[in-house]
Amino acid sequence: MLTSNKVVNLLLIGFGPHAKRIYYPLAADAIDDPTLNLCAAIDFISSRREIESYLSGKALQPALFFINDIDNSEQTLSTEVEQTLNHIVAQYGINGVIIATEPLAHLQYATWALEAGLSILMDKPISTYEGISTSISKSLKIVEDYHSLNALYQKKKRANPLLVFSLMAQRRYQTSFNFIKKRISECFIMTHCPVTNVQSFHSDGQWRMPTEIAEQHYHPYNQGYGKCSHSGYHYFDIVPFVLESGFGEGKTFDNIEVFSTAIRPNDILSQFTLDDYRSLFGSHEFDESNFYDEKQLSLLFDNFGEVDCSSSIRFKQGDRTLTLASINLCHNGYSQRNWVTAAGRDLYKGNGRVSHESHIFQQGPFQSIHFHSYKSDEPGVFREDNTHQIGTKEHLEIYIFRNHKMLGGKHIEIVNIDDLIAMEGGRKGLKGKSKAKAFFEFVAGMRGEIAAEERVSDFSKHEVGATLTSAIYQSICHGYYQLNPLIRRRFAKAKTLSVPEEYAHL
């Protein structure tokens, strides 16, 4: 293994759609930099043909390794997989890994990498489990996983100060959210008033046919987890990340209360029946690609993961509520899909997916900040001369309403995507994206150029996100079993949670 991190040699674990869109292109852009190398990548044998086809003719050719398809629900890596990984590390002088696998495997690969003394950049979420959407005991494991990984990270970092463990929580790097944080901080300094109310909404625009709900393994429901383990973590993370800019002077939360409800696949089947699909697409076309009847689907869907999730959260200091927040997350939202089968399509962005997102941060009587992003991938809507127009690929607007009679400044401030790009110093292509910022911060950390406390998404800073994710899953599990869905959690380092005896079998 290398003794100096001035040369960064990376192993990519998982070469799926996200790695193809982000990690490989970033590494390919740095192909002329001898100090930053994507040396190798590893994935399942079943993905071999697709990966080799993707790399065909490209300048950057990392060494490829393929392992037998395994059950990602296993708690530890097999001896065979560990031996393969250790061989790659030794052969190529690997000192950092990018974990871009199915979320079920994040914990196993992160534990192996930390034990091996390797720096990590890992996709969200931190961990998840098969059946977590209906298992109280598994919902508690998420926060336990965070504390165990962080304890191991801190231990290994004491021995090697250049060790880095970062989470790809890219919204932390967005100029938009950091601009919002700056305005909240300015108001707090003048008023000592924290953010008192938050409303957050995100829709993936994922319209899935019934057979796809049953069988699709990319961002699946059929393994017993769903939206909260897909893009959900971004919102469980970004809300408290923004809130922290309005805390201080003895005002900060130390516990949360969570009440969550979920829409599940069987609810979707009631909202839009098989006959409704046949009416839209025609019976012959629909039935050619959808193979189940209502009874079969109902049985299959019973233990599937959540499609949509709505959470009400109280951020509290002792018994007092500082901030009320609602986080509404949808997979089943506005889409541009009008075809029956997704066969042969890019499931990341090429299946009609449309992203809509909004956040409202209310700072008592002093300030209200509205973030809106309503996109469409419809080419005819996009106009180069007006990139911030609603329905374009880049739509993003921020409205700031301030009590200027008390605080001075502007009554209303409007910021759009062009303003934010100007704040960043102009367009910079892929390297200007928030995910690229996270990637290059990770590299800088490995080189000793930025300390852990200064890194935006160092793993040590994700206790709140992990705790909130765990509590939300516990709440929707309680609702599934018709138990009290109000969950209370305090923030305490390395605290072990236990399942009440009467719920231990759930």
Side-chain angles (χ1 to χ4, degrees):
M1 185 182 298
L2 295 174
T3 57
S4 170
N5 282 343
K6 295 301 180 184
V7 176
V8 173
N9 287 340
L10 298 175
L11 164 64
L12 175 61
I13 304 175
F15 209 148
H18 188 233
K20 293 185 181 77
R21 288 178 63 90
I22 304 299
Y23 299 126
Y24 177 86
L26 287 170
D29 278 353
I31 195 169
D32 294 327
D33 180 356
T35 68
L36 177 56
N37 307 297
L38 178 60
C39 300
I42 187 169
D43 209 312
F44 292 148
I45 289 174
S46 60
S47 301
R48 180 170 195 154
R49 181 177 298 178
E50 180 185 341
I51 293 169
E52 289 178 343
S53 174
Y54 170 80
L55 289 174
S56 178
K58 289 182 169 60
L60 177 60
Q61 292 288 328
L64 297 179
F65 294 83
F66 297 97
I67 56 176
N68 291 322
D69 290 35
I70 58 175
D71 181 358
N72 282 317
S73 66
E74 294 296 326
Q75 298 300 294
T76 58
L77 298 176
S78 70
T79 301
E80 176 189 1
V81 172
E82 280 207 28
Q83 288 175 345
T84 301
L85 292 168
N86 292 334
H87 166 73
I88 297 170
V89 169
Q91 182 175 357
Y92 295 94
I94 300 296
N95 53 0
V97 300
I98 299 172
I99 300 175
T101 65
E102 152 76 52
L104 292 170
H106 285 183
L107 177 65
Q108 298 91 302
Y109 282 108
T111 302
W112 162 79
L114 287 174
E115 292 285 8
L118 302 172
S119 291
I120 303 168
L121 176 60
M122 186 168 77
D123 281 354
K124 52 74 190 164
I126 294 166
S127 63
T128 197
Y129 291 89
E130 285 192 355
I132 192 172
S133 189
T134 55
S135 171
I136 296 171
S137 59
K138 289 178 179 177
S139 72
L140 299 179
K141 287 182 177 291
I142 293 179
V143 69
E144 293 172 358
D145 292 342
Y146 170 79
H147 285 301
S148 64
L149 281 177
N150 192 47
L152 181 58
Y153 171 43
Q154 300 307 320
K155 174 185 174 182
K156 293 293 184 177
K157 192 150 65 75
R158 285 192 290 272
N160 175 16
L162 290 179
L163 188 71
V164 177
F165 188 2
S166 291
L167 202 65
M168 179 52 84
Q170 69 267 17
R171 276 168 175 74
R172 289 178 172 230
Y173 298 85
Q174 286 184 207
T175 303
S176 53
F177 286 114
N178 285 289
F179 173 79
I180 289 170
K181 289 187 71 170
K182 181 180 178 181
R183 288 292 185 264
I184 290 171
S185 179
E186 290 169 352
C187 183
F188 182 79
I189 289 170
M190 288 187 280
T191 67
H192 294 172
C193 181
V195 174
T196 51
N197 190 281
V198 181
Q199 299 174 54
S200 286
F201 167 80
H202 180 259
S203 172
D204 275 298
Q206 294 262 9
W207 185 10
R208 296 197 188 167
M209 301 295 120
T211 292
E212 293 164 6
I213 293 176
E215 298 181 354
Q216 185 171 303
H217 290 289
Y218 179 70
H219 283 175
Y221 308 119
N222 58 12
Q223 297 184 69
Y225 67 89
K227 172 68 173 178
C228 294
S229 292
H230 299 162
S231 57
Y233 185 83
H234 287 309
Y235 304 95
F236 308 149
D237 174 66
I238 198 61
V239 167
F241 179 72
V242 171
L243 290 183
E244 70 185 18
S245 61
F247 287 125
E249 304 291 335
K251 297 175 184 177
T252 186
F253 62 89
D254 55 27
N255 70 100
I256 55 173
E257 290 184 358
V258 174
F259 183 102
S260 297
T261 55
I263 293 289
R264 299 180 180 277
N266 267 331
D267 300 315
I268 299 293
L269 194 60
S270 296
Q271 293 170 348
F272 205 75
T273 68
L274 296 188
D275 283 340
D276 292 330
Y277 278 102
R278 294 184 181 105
S279 177
L280 272 183
F281 293 104
S283 296
H284 178 72
E285 183 178 356
F286 177 75
D287 290 337
E288 268 192 334
S289 300
N290 291 272
F291 317 123
Y292 303 92
D293 61 30
E294 284 86 346
K295 185 175 181 180
Q296 291 170 322
L297 289 172
S298 180
L299 291 172
L300 280 172
F301 289 173
D302 188 50
N303 294 311
F304 277 20
E306 70 287 352
V307 179
D308 303 338
C309 181
S310 178
S311 300
S312 179
I313 304 151
R314 296 172 69 187
F315 291 89
K316 300 173 65 181
Q317 183 180 59
D319 294 331
R320 302 296 185 184
T321 300
L322 295 177
T323 309
L324 281 177
S326 65
I327 301 179
N328 263 324
L329 303 177
C330 297
H331 257 176
N332 184 35
Y334 159 69
S335 169
Q336 280 288 345
R337 179 174 180 174
N338 69 338
W339 47 87
V340 174
T341 176
R345 290 183 176 269
D346 170 16
L347 299 180
Y348 190 83
K349 284 287 188 182
N351 197 33
R353 178 181 178 184
V354 179
S355 175
H356 278 188
E357 180 176 352
S358 66
H359 307 271
I360 300 175
F361 300 94
Q362 193 77 31
Q363 206 162 358
F366 303 108
Q367 183 168 249
S368 182
I369 301 178
H370 298 234
F371 170 111
H372 299 281
S373 178
Y374 306 124
K375 300 179 181 179
S376 172
D377 287 333
E378 193 66 28
V381 177
F382 183 79
R383 295 199 333 222
E384 290 286 351
D385 62 335
N386 192 7
T387 57
H388 58 267
Q389 180 188 10
I390 287 177
T392 63
K393 292 183 179 181
E394 291 190 298
H395 175 252
L396 195 161
E397 293 177 295
I398 299 171
Y399 301 91
I400 301 171
F401 302 89
R402 179 172 287 199
N403 185 339
H404 69 299
K405 295 177 181 178
M406 287 289 298
L407 308 179
K410 297 178 180 179
H411 175 207
I412 300 174
E413 185 178 2
I414 302 173
V415 176
N416 61 44
I417 187 67
D418 296 326
D419 299 319
L420 294 169
I421 290 169
M423 292 177 196
E424 296 172 346
R427 293 182 182 273
K428 300 173 183 177
L430 180 63
K431 289 186 178 180
K433 302 291 186 182
S434 55
K435 291 181 181 180
K437 294 176 186 177
F439 174 81
F440 287 113
E441 182 186 84
F442 167 67
V443 172
M446 288 185 63
R447 290 172 170 162
E449 297 168 355
I450 179 170
E453 56 269 19
E454 297 172 350
R455 293 196 289 269
V456 173
S457 194
D458 188 79
F459 193 77
S460 62
K461 299 179 179 180
H462 282 272
E463 180 189 7
V464 177
T467 303
L468 190 52
T469 306
S470 178
I472 285 169
Y473 265 122
Q474 188 179 356
S475 182
I476 66 174
C477 288
H478 275 225
Y480 180 81
Y481 292 108
Q482 298 184 342
L483 305 171
N484 181 4
L486 181 63
I487 306 300
R488 297 178 174 89
R489 291 283 181 87
R490 292 193 173 274
F491 296 100
K493 292 289 184 182
K495 180 180 178 182
T496 300
L497 300 168
S498 59
V499 182
E501 186 175 343
E502 64 268 33
Y503 304 155
H505 64 290
L506 301 177

